[in-house]
């Protein structure tokens, strides 16, 4: 088995299958988790009726989505409309490839020197899909939602990149496994050296994944459902799954970059990685169920007036210190 | 500039306070009532649809004296009453007197006197609960307290006819 | 096409075909129908907005989707039979409408109300006001994208509804006030629970402030949004917290005290700038003031009848007309009745505060972002059934 896995092609295929399974499973777990968190914060039990403690609720929801008819609105651009969910979902699978889930080489889908770049590049494709939904749906709400999504993603990619860059400066590598390797032992975690970069990264990541309080593209009180207004059944399901998968991606990258990846006080291993990822997800959910939504111009203001200057400053300081140390 | 930064820091602190509150609530117990397993406890004060009350001596016989005040005052016209004069042996052959739905009782201007002189027998007392606005005017206006509110809150039906109640039968059925 | 001939058209209905876009210099504008089914319109209000990018060039509310002919119903029902209608005009502050109608008929007929009944009315009406403001609070935050506050508000609202259920028997569309009093006396259970609620709710308000009022994001969404000048407010006949947010302390309870309101010591909170935040602050402060009123009323609750014992068997006001106004949660509620001396009103006119307040929206939203428009709409606290009647 090990021998088989060392053949790159087989390794990648196995990894892709595993990633797909992981995404699917995660969708189920995260939907359940999100609804439970929302419920507990609001002093109610959340899903409760299907299965013990409502554990089977997301499965039932998924089956319901699968069973629904797929409809497209009159006058929609069929090609754009139907390909958008796929384009939204497909790149996320690639994003998982370079993420080191555990210490053994087998737990990374594909060792890449430019792994970090790959993740950032492929996660950018999602915007393209949103753009297509906006144009293809022939719906004004979708159009507005897509317009918001595009400018939001474009703006927030900059501080995200700059924050990531400061870590890359520090470690001198874009390989996620190497970055994790470089922070063995809790005190060496980059979050302690680069707290500002972590905060900037996390805020930008929240905005990149369209999570509340930055969920403007799908602000339901303004745009009904935003870009996915016209999608039904599994096409909606794909958007939904992709959204959760992207959340996992950004949290995984945050874990790898700032929180020491699979490194932990005792028993290094992938459980530490998963634990940290889920803890970050919990924080994202906690945000969502606490805050109101920001307005569009405020969102861009936060980015241009605060995050970008701060991240540039952080980058300069990092560079300065690196020079000093060497 | 410094003022701006200070303001933003205070603002950020407000966000943390918000998180603290929701975080605390997270660990508190639920407040919801889970219907099939639990039920709300204050149903004794609920005023549901109306129900006939029985006489003290004979709880199966309604107290109602068939004055028609309830049907007349009902804003939604949901009470339907039929009766005949007692003593006439076959009730089915005598002409029934209708009160309620669609029948307007002309107002005489005099104060109401319960017609105790003539014995009447109640044949039908129907309530169309679909129309009822639960205002309670009928109960309040009944001169002999012949109707009361039920505590029926868990109502479900498959058709509108399920909510057209024969109150007389209900009275006899429940005893 | 004849006026009564209808045809299914994809190019728009009566209102959208008659909507005149104001156009823009930069290029095309987008005409968007918000509603009648839209999450932020809380019901079946429809607004046609013309957007330039995300900026609103022009907004036009379309009414009538939930028109139920309440005024016409008044003409075909007896005075008594019209009572339950009042709970359904504005279901959130039903008791204020109850009161306005009952008060108008009492004034016209000359029915006296026992002191105890007046106090009961004050207590229940103020509880209902808190209830209404709480729902507004939650719903407003829902418009702004925060989900959790509405559920916290419902926790408290549920308590008020439990209390009101003790005496009224229902939880939303109350029909509790009667000519000459109320339909049932308050019980010890009611008084105890109300007192409990008063102490409990005082601990909740600081929590609300911490969670929401102080929140930076909320402040950003409300401050300087939808600034309503006093002149505009006057022109449109705005009342209630909307007017008070602009700095005018006009409250019917204070300026034309009805019932026993002149016996209580309470303040009328006012804002300064007239923006959405001021309207928010006014409403939250009003909840505290209502608590004060309830406290005082409970303390000085007199004994006596809860309803006038010598009521005429049939309400038949003399010929004449009457206007009676009370302060509802949304503003001045007025009832105007013309009686021709029969058992039914000749004409009945309802003055709904929401109707005047809604039309401010067209003015306030001009030139704002779509998100701001949602915030403004929420800050006006509209109840659509009341507007359409
Ligand atoms: S409660 Fe009101 S609507 Fe219902 S039956 Fe009685 S009078 Fe009619
Ligand atoms: S008012 Fe009372 S007594 Fe008269 S008909 Fe109705 S239930 Fe019977």
């Amino acid at each position: 088995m090990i021998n088989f896995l060392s053949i790159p092609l087989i390794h990648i295929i196995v990894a892709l299958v595993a990633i797909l399974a992981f995404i699917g499973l995660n969708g189920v777990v995260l939907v359940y988790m999100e609804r439970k968190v929302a419920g507990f914060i609001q002093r109610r039990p959340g899903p409760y009726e299907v299965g013990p403690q409502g554990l089977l609720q997301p499965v039932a929801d998924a089956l319901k989505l699968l069973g629904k008819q797929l409809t497209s609105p009159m006058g929609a651009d069929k090609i754009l409309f139907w390909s958008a969910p796929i384009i939204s979902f497909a790149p996320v699978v690639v994003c998982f490839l370079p993420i080191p889930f555990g210490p053994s080489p087998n737990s990374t889908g594909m060792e890449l020197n430019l792994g970090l770049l790959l993740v950032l590049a492929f996660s950018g494709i999602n915007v393209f899909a949103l753009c297509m939904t906006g144009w293809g749906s022939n719906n004004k709400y979708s159009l507005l939602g897509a317009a918001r999504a595009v400018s939001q993603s474009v703006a927030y990619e900059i501080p995200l990149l700059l924050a990531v860059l400061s870590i890359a400066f520090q470690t001198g590598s874009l390989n996620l496994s190497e970055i994790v390797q470089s922070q063995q032992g809790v005190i060496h975690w980059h979050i302690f050296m680069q707290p500002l970069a972590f905060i900037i990264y996390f805020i930008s990541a929240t905005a990149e994944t369209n999570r509340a309080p930055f969920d403007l593209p799908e602000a339901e009180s303004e745009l009904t459902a935003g870009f996915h207004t016209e999608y039904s059944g599994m096409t909606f399901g794909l958007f939904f799954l992709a959204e959760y998968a992207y959340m996992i991606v950004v949290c995984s990258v945050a874990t790898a970059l700032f929180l020491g990846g699979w490194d932990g006080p005792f028993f290094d291993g992938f459980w530490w990685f998963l634990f940290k990822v889920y803890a970050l997800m919990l924080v994202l959910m906690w945000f969502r169920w606490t805050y109101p939504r920001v307005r569009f111009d405020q969102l861009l203001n936060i980015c241009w007036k605060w995050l970008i200057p701060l991240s540039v400053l952080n980058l300069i300081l990092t560079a300065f210190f690196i020079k000093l140390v060497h | 500039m410094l003022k701006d930064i200070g303001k933003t820091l205070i603002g950020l602190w407000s966000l943390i306070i918000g998180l603290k509150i929701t975080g605390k609530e997270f660990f508190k117990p639920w407040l919801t009532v889970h219907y099939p397993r639990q039920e709300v406890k204050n149903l004794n004060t609920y005023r549901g649809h109306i129900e006939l009350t029985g006489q003290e001596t004979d709880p199966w016989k309604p107290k109602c004296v068939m004055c028609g005040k309830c049907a007349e005052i009902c804003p939604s016209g949901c009470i339907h009453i039929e009766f005949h004069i007692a003593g006439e042996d076959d009730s089915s052959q005598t002409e029934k007197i209708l009160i309620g739905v669609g029948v307007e009782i002309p107002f005489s201007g005099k104060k109401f006197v319960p017609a105790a002189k003539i014995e009447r027998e109640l044949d039908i007392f129907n309530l169309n609960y679909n129309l009822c606005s639960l205002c309670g005017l009928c109960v309040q206006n009944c001169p002999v307290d012949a109707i009361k509110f039920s505590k029926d809150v868990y109502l479900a039906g498959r058709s509108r006819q399920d909510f057209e109640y024969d109150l007389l039968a209900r009275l006899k059925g429940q005893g | 096409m004849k006026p009564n001939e209808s045809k299914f058209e994809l190019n728009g209905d009566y209102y959208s075909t008659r909507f005149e876009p104001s156009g823009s210099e930069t290029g095309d504008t987008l005409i968007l129908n918000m509603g009648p089914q839209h999450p932020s319109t809380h019901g079946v209000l429809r607004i046609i907005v013309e957007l330039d990018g995300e900026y609103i060039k022009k907004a036009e509310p379309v009414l009538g989707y939930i028109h139920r002919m309440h005024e016409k119903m008044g003409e075909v029902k007896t005075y008594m039979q019209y009572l339950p209608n009042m709970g359904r005009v504005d279901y959130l502050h039903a008791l204020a409408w109850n009161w306005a109608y009952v008060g108008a008929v009492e004034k016209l007929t000359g029915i006296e109300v026992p002191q105890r009944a007046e106090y009961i009315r004050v207590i229940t009406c103020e509880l209902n006001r808190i209830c209404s403001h709480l729902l507004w609070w939650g719903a407003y935050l829902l418009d702004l994208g925060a989900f959790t506050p509405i559920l916290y508000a419902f926790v408290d609202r549920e308590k008020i509804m439990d209390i009101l259920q003790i005496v009224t028997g229902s939880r939303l569309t109350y029909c509790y006030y009667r000519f000459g009093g109320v339909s049932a006396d308050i019980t010890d259970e009611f008084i105890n629970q109300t007192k409990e609620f008063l102490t409990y709710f005082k601990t909740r308000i600081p929590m609300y402030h911490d969670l929401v009022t102080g929140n930076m994001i909320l402040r950003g969404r409300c401050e300087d949004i939808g600034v309503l000048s006093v002149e505009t407010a006057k022109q449109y006949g705005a009342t209630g917290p909307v007017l008070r947010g602009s700095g005018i302390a006009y409250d019917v309870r204070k300026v034309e005290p009805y019932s026993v309101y002149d016996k209580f010591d309470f303040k009328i909170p006012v804002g300064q700038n007239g923006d959405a935040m001021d309207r928010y602050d006014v409403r939250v402060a009003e909840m505290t003031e209502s608590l004060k009123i309830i406290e005082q009323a409970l303390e000085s609750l007199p004994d006596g009848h809860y309803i006038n014992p010598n009521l005429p068997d049939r309400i038949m006001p003399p010929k004449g007309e009457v206007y009676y106004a009370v302060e509802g949660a949304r503003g001045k509620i007025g009832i105007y009745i013309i009686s021709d001396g029969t058992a039914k009103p000749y004409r009945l006119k309802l003055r709904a505060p929401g109707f005047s307040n809604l039309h401010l929206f067209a003015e306030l939203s001009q030139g704002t972002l779509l998100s701001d428009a949602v915030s403004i709409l929420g800050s006006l606290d509209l109840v659509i059934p009341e507007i359409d009647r």
Side-chain angles (χ1 to χ4, degrees):
Chain A
M1 191 66 188
I2 303 292
N3 288 341
F4 269 124
L5 280 180
S6 54
I7 302 167
L9 188 64
I10 292 180
H11 189 129
I12 287 182
I13 290 171
V14 170
L16 281 178
V17 172
I19 285 167
L20 277 175
F22 179 67
I23 292 175
L25 201 68
N26 243 310
V28 171
V29 173
L30 285 178
V31 168
Y32 180 73
M33 184 166 143
E34 171 114 68
R35 292 180 62 179
K36 274 288 183 197
V37 168
F40 283 158
I41 283 183
Q42 296 162 355
R43 313 281 300 274
R44 59 192 177 82
Y48 198 71
E49 301 298 332
V50 190
Q53 291 288 321
L55 265 170
L56 296 179
Q57 183 70 49
V59 180
D61 287 351
L63 286 178
K64 182 199 77 178
L65 278 181
L66 277 173
K68 281 204 166 176
Q69 191 191 358
L70 300 176
T71 55
S72 69
M74 201 190 276
D77 187 323
K78 290 279 184 317
I79 297 172
L80 291 186
F81 185 81
W82 291 119
S83 52
I86 301 163
I87 292 186
S88 165
F89 182 73
V92 75
V93 183
V94 183
C95 289
F96 275 99
L97 276 178
I99 291 171
F101 284 94
S104 91
N106 281 340
S107 47
T108 311
M110 189 166 62
E111 280 296 340
L112 276 173
N113 283 336
L114 295 176
L116 194 54
L117 208 62
L118 183 96
V119 173
L120 292 171
F122 272 87
S123 64
I125 297 179
N126 189 27
V127 187
F128 183 53
L130 301 194
C131 208
M132 285 164 70
T133 63
W135 193 249
S137 294
N138 190 26
N139 180 310
K140 293 168 182 173
Y141 289 117
S142 303
L143 188 64
L144 287 170
R148 286 179 172 194
V150 172
S151 42
Q152 180 173 339
S153 299
V154 167
Y156 272 86
E157 233 145 62
I158 302 167
L160 189 85
L161 225 76
L162 291 176
V164 168
L165 214 56
S166 57
I167 297 294
F169 269 25
Q170 205 181 335
T171 52
S173 166
L174 283 173
N175 185 332
L176 282 166
S177 302
E178 275 175 28
I179 293 175
V180 173
Q181 221 90 51
S182 74
Q183 32 184 341
Q184 296 300 311
V186 179
I187 26 159
H188 292 129
W189 290 3
H190 287 148
I191 185 171
F192 300 117
M193 223 128 33
Q194 299 269 15
L196 190 61
F198 177 70
I199 292 169
I200 292 169
Y201 175 84
F202 202 62
I203 294 176
S204 317
T206 318
E208 274 286 293
T209 49
N210 301 334
R211 285 289 294 183
F214 306 121
D215 57 343
L216 290 150
E218 45 200 296
E220 71 293 308
S221 60
E222 293 153 28
L223 304 179
T224 56
F227 64 86
H228 59 65
T229 307
E230 293 290 357
Y231 285 90
S232 62
M234 215 42 218
T235 45
F236 166 73
L238 274 182
F239 277 119
F240 202 66
L241 210 57
E243 198 186 307
Y244 276 103
Y246 276 115
M247 280 160 63
I248 285 286
V249 169
V250 295
C251 288
S252 306
V253 172
T255 309
L257 288 185
F258 296 99
L259 299 176
W262 36 261
D263 174 63
F266 345 88
F267 317 117
D268 291 356
F270 66 90
W271 44 81
W272 269 112
F273 193 88
L274 286 185
F275 171 76
K276 287 171 192 169
V277 169
Y278 277 94
L280 285 178
M281 293 291 307
L282 196 68
V283 175
L284 276 182
M285 289 172 187
W286 193 5
F287 281 171
R288 171 161 178 200
W289 298 106
T290 305
Y291 297 136
R293 184 181 300 121
V294 299
R295 204 175 57 209
F296 198 67
D297 55 328
Q298 290 166 348
L299 178 90
L300 295 183
N301 271 348
I302 296 172
C303 178
W304 294 107
K305 284 196 185 157
W306 290 98
L307 295 183
I308 291 182
L310 278 177
S311 51
V312 169
L313 186 78
N314 190 51
L315 199 62
I316 292 170
L317 283 180
T318 313
F320 182 70
F321 275 112
I322 287 168
K323 196 80 200 155
L324 217 64
V325 170
H326 279 292
Chain B
M1 181 71 187
L2 271 179
K3 231 171 125 189
D4 263 12
I5 292 175
K7 243 172 116 184
T8 311
L9 285 181
I10 293 171
L12 288 177
W13 181 242
S14 76
L15 297 185
I16 292 172
I17 292 178
L19 282 182
K20 236 169 41 192
I21 289 173
T22 41
K24 255 191 240 159
E25 298 284 319
F26 184 91
F27 293 104
K28 288 185 188 166
W30 309 333
L31 291 171
T32 41
V33 178
H34 292 257
Y35 165 55
R37 285 164 234 110
Q38 297 166 311
E39 286 184 8
V40 288
K41 293 191 192 70
N42 58 348
L43 281 184
N44 57 331
T45 55
Y46 176 72
R47 291 187 200 159
H49 65 80
I50 53 169
E51 200 88 81
L52 285 173
T53 49
Q55 294 172 0
E56 271 103 64
T57 48
D58 184 0
W60 278 269
K61 258 186 114 181
K63 260 190 195 171
C64 174
V65 294
M66 289 145 268
C67 65
K69 280 206 87 178
C70 52
E72 188 200 349
I73 196 136
C74 176
S76 324
C78 41
I79 299 175
H80 174 95
I81 303 171
E82 285 182 22
F83 63 85
H84 68 271
I85 312 292
E88 292 175 27
D89 30 315
D90 195 355
S91 61
S92 59
Q93 277 167 19
T94 51
E95 214 184 314
K96 291 209 176 115
I97 301 151
L98 300 174
I99 308 174
V101 200
V103 184
E104 211 173 298
I105 303 174
F107 171 54
S108 56
K110 279 176 240 139
K111 217 168 157 59
F112 166 77
V113 193
K117 306 271 160 6
I118 318 156
E119 274 290 312
R120 298 162 167 186
E121 222 147 291
L122 190 58
D123 295 322
I124 293 176
F125 197 113
N126 280 354
L127 167 75
N128 189 347
Y129 190 43
N130 298 310
L131 306 178
C132 177
S133 47
L134 291 172
C135 59
L137 288 173
C138 49
V139 176
Q140 197 191 2
N141 277 272
C142 179
V144 292
D145 289 337
I147 31 184
K148 64 170 188 220
F149 298 107
S150 75
K151 309 288 173 222
D152 243 351
V153 55
Y154 299 116
L155 296 166
R158 286 175 197 280
S159 70
R160 259 191 292 176
Q161 280 71 33
D162 291 354
F163 298 104
E164 285 163 15
Y165 296 133
D166 183 349
L167 295 187
L168 211 54
R170 279 175 79 95
L171 176 76
K172 286 179 179 149
Q174 65 190 205
Chain C
M1 198 162 76
K2 280 184 228 134
N4 56 357
E5 204 176 290
S6 66
K7 203 172 118 202
F8 180 65
E9 279 220 38
L10 272 179
N11 303 327
D13 63 335
Y14 180 87
Y15 294 100
S16 48
T17 47
R18 270 156 194 77
F19 181 77
E20 283 172 15
S22 55
S24 96
E25 317 85 51
T26 49
D28 282 346
T29 52
L30 180 74
I31 293 173
L32 184 70
N33 266 302
M34 268 172 80
Q37 281 127 11
H38 186 276
S40 79
T41 54
H42 300 296
V44 280
L45 172 67
R46 170 175 164 207
I47 301 168
I48 306 179
V49 287
E50 187 194 0
L51 292 174
D52 182 9
E54 280 218 21
Y55 286 93
I56 292 181
K57 300 288 292 181
K58 191 178 173 190
E60 201 177 281
V62 178
L63 305 180
Y65 286 90
I66 188 166
H67 178 54
R68 290 159 300 166
M69 302 192 296
H70 274 301
E71 289 180 6
K72 182 69 194 166
M73 272 158 105
E75 292 168 24
V76 297
K77 291 187 168 200
T78 62
Y79 284 95
M80 203 54 137
Q81 283 179 333
Y82 193 58
L83 273 174
N85 281 54
M86 285 292 103
R88 285 151 178 86
V89 177
D90 172 359
Y91 47 82
L92 292 182
H93 199 185
L95 285 176
W97 278 94
N98 267 236
W99 200 341
Y101 176 63
V102 169
V105 176
E106 279 161 0
K107 194 169 158 190
L108 189 61
T109 326
I111 298 172
E112 255 182 52
V113 186
Q115 279 293 301
R116 187 177 170 85
E118 295 277 26
Y119 273 75
I120 296 174
R121 282 183 186 178
V122 168
I123 296 168
T124 47
C125 185
E126 292 304 321
L127 277 174
N128 202 189
R129 186 188 312 274
I130 298 177
C131 200
S132 166
H133 279 341
L134 274 176
L135 187 88
W136 162 81
W137 184 80
Y140 184 40
L141 286 156
L142 203 59
D143 287 348
L144 299 181
F147 292 83
T148 306
I150 194 169
L151 283 135
Y152 292 170
F154 265 63
V155 171
D156 301 344
R157 193 165 173 267
E158 205 66 20
K159 286 188 196 285
I160 302 183
M161 295 207 292
D162 284 348
I163 293 172
L164 286 176
Q165 187 192 319
I166 296 172
V167 288
T168 63
S170 39
R171 295 174 76 80
L172 192 70
T173 49
Y174 308 109
C175 175
Y176 178 51
Y177 299 167
R178 297 285 189 268
F179 306 124
V182 292
S183 74
D185 201 359
I186 56 176
T187 55
D188 288 343
E189 194 191 355
F190 174 88
I191 294 175
N192 291 339
Q193 280 204 25
T194 313
K195 281 183 178 156
E196 240 169 67
F197 175 77
L198 291 180
T199 38
Y200 162 82
F201 196 59
K202 276 177 197 155
T203 64
R204 289 289 277 192
I205 287 182
M207 188 276 263
Y208 288 167
H209 281 310
D210 283 346
L211 178 64
V212 176
T213 317
N215 190 299
M216 176 198 199
I217 301 175
L218 178 100
R219 295 212 150 250
R221 290 295 304 275
C222 296
E223 272 168 3
D224 299 324
I225 303 301
V227 177
L228 173 64
S229 70
V230 177
E231 285 73 47
T232 323
K234 277 183 182 162
Q235 277 167 13
Y236 282 84
T239 46
V242 177
L243 178 65
R244 293 197 281 277
S246 296
I248 298 186
Y250 181 81
D251 187 315
V252 186
R253 290 174 295 175
K254 264 283 198 272
V255 291
E256 320 159 22
Y258 53 97
S259 180
V260 286
Y261 271 112
D262 45 359
K263 292 186 187 162
F264 303 118
D265 167 39
F266 63 101
K267 281 201 283 298
I268 304 295
V270 289
Q272 280 144 19
N273 313 323
D275 56 5
M277 195 70 216
D278 274 345
R279 295 194 273 279
Y280 173 98
D281 284 338
V282 164
R283 289 202 183 89
V284 176
E286 260 177 35
M287 290 202 257
T288 328
E289 295 302 317
S290 290
L291 287 183
K292 270 200 230 161
I293 298 176
I294 298 168
E295 219 161 34
Q296 293 169 36
L298 277 178
E299 257 165 38
S300 51
L301 184 71
D303 284 335
H305 293 289
Y306 64 91
I307 188 160
N308 190 338
N310 331 305
L311 280 179
D313 191 46
R314 193 75 66 117
I315 303 292
M316 275 241 270
K319 257 191 188 152
E321 46 195 82
V322 68
Y323 178 74
Y324 194 79
V326 301
E327 181 72 26
R330 268 152 280 283
K332 186 177 189 172
I333 293 170
I335 302 256
Y336 180 63
I337 301 176
I338 302 179
S339 156
D340 54 359
T342 59
K344 293 170 184 172
Y346 174 74
R347 175 79 172 93
L348 194 137
K349 161 86 186 131
L350 313 174
R351 190 229 180 249
F355 186 77
S356 317
N357 293 352
L358 165 69
H359 290 279
L360 289 167
F361 176 74
E363 190 120 333
L364 293 183
S365 63
Q366 235 166 48
T368 60
L369 281 163
L370 189 62
S371 320
D372 286 341
V374 170
S375 170
I376 294 169
L377 195 64
S379 77
L380 294 175
D381 188 13
L382 304 169
V383 169
I384 312 305
E386 177 196 62
I387 296 166
D388 286 348
R389 294 189 293 271

